[in-house]
Amino acid sequence: MTSLETLFLDLKNIKVIDSTIPYSQYFSLDLSDSNTELKQLNQSNAIEFEAYIEFYLKKNKATVAYGGYNENRSLYKRSTFFNDLNSDERNIHIGIDLWIKAETPVLAALDGKVHSFQDNNNLGDYGPTIILEHQLENHTFYTLYGHLTRESISSLKVGDFFAKGQQLASLGDASVNGDYAPHLHFQIIKNIEDNLGDYPGVCSKNKLAYYLDNCPDPNLLLKITK
């Protein structure tokens, strides 16, 4: 059977935020521990971090900052949600982030139905989140959209159908999105197990091999870079 990753290679024209923004206006953003600029920034302050994102976009004449797959970040140290004393530290990001202003339209990557949704309102969590279920040849898989507005899930129902490119939601601000600068966390999930409205978007080093296999690089689908 053809792998899901191989099937992604043939898919075209997929956007998950405002389709009027061309990829030429996207610019890669490094939020890893190796970025020395971040050491001068209070990453736990959403307002300060949003100002940094806006400055970064302006400096690079871009509209969207993107990146973060398989990226080791110190951003999560502020929250016990990621750093329970009884478990391994979760600090490796396994989705892609698209940083842009709040209220930006969020689009369904492909035809799919609502698998589940939830307001994950812990500090540093996703906030309002939607998971879509998709079928591609013999594969069932899922896409997760995190950091949305509460209005995005207020009238949603499990089983609702969304066509590829249809507006699914809008991006939330720091007051609802887990206390982050506005952005979309987009993630592909092969086996969602019994998770509903939530799925880990950050993992520990010990579990990285599993999550990289179960959550392929979203750029295989989006093709922001080729």
Side-chain angles (χ1 to χ4, degrees):
M1 182 171 66
T2 306
S3 73
L4 184 61
E5 289 87 344
T6 300
L7 292 175
F8 285 164
L9 296 177
D10 293 328
L11 300 177
K12 298 178 181 179
N13 302 319
I14 295 171
K15 293 278 185 71
V16 289
I17 57 171
D18 189 346
S19 61
T20 66
I21 304 171
Y23 282 160
S24 60
Q25 292 180 24
Y26 284 49
F27 204 88
S28 177
L29 175 64
D30 177 7
L31 294 181
S32 72
D33 290 342
S34 61
N35 184 347
T36 56
E37 271 190 359
L38 298 181
K39 299 185 188 305
Q40 314 303 319
L41 183 70
N42 180 5
Q43 295 184 64
S44 65
N45 185 308
I47 294 174
E48 185 175 332
F49 196 77
E50 184 172 2
Y52 170 77
I53 296 292
E54 289 179 353
F55 172 79
Y56 181 85
L57 290 171
K58 184 176 181 180
K59 180 176 73 172
N60 292 288
K61 298 179 181 178
T63 305
V64 180
Y66 75 93
Y69 182 71
N70 192 19
E71 187 172 72
N72 193 317
R73 296 174 170 179
S74 59
L75 177 62
Y76 308 111
K77 293 183 183 295
R78 65 180 179 143
S79 174
T80 56
F81 179 69
F82 296 99
N83 295 287
D84 189 314
L85 294 176
N86 298 315
S87 62
D88 295 330
E89 181 181 5
R90 295 166 54 212
N91 57 4
I92 305 174
H93 191 252
I94 48 175
I96 192 170
D97 286 335
L98 303 171
W99 303 84
I100 191 172
K101 291 184 178 296
E103 300 297 333
T104 295
V106 175
L107 315 176
L110 298 164
D111 290 357
K113 64 182 180 180
V114 175
H115 168 269
S116 52
F117 56 94
Q118 181 169 284
D119 188 354
N120 300 292
N121 60 358
N122 300 294
L123 174 66
D125 206 340
Y126 290 130
T129 307
I130 299 173
I131 298 175
L132 295 183
E133 179 178 330
H134 309 276
Q135 297 285 335
L136 195 58
E137 292 194 4
N138 294 319
H139 295 274
T140 300
F141 67 100
Y142 307 84
T143 53
L144 181 149
Y145 308 76
H147 309 298
L148 311 175
T149 61
R150 288 206 174 104
E151 290 76 12
S152 297
I153 62 173
S154 63
S155 59
L156 206 59
K157 297 181 180 64
V158 171
D160 283 352
F161 175 81
F162 287 87
K164 173 187 173 183
Q166 182 180 351
Q167 183 167 350
L168 172 69
S170 299
L171 286 184
D173 61 21
S175 68
V176 298
N177 75 356
D179 194 44
Y180 289 104
H183 70 289
L184 175 68
H185 173 98
F186 175 69
Q187 186 169 335
I188 300 166
I189 305 162
K190 293 179 182 176
N191 179 8
I192 203 165
E193 300 176 343
D194 59 354
N195 292 280
L196 294 172
D198 193 15
Y199 189 86
V202 180
C203 73
S204 66
K205 184 177 180 180
N206 288 341
K207 296 181 179 178
L208 181 60
Y210 169 77
Y211 281 109
L212 290 184
D213 178 67
N214 198 46
C215 300
D217 185 349
N219 193 56
L220 293 172
L221 190 59
L222 299 180
K223 301 174 180 65
I224 299 171
T225 56
K226 298 180 180 180

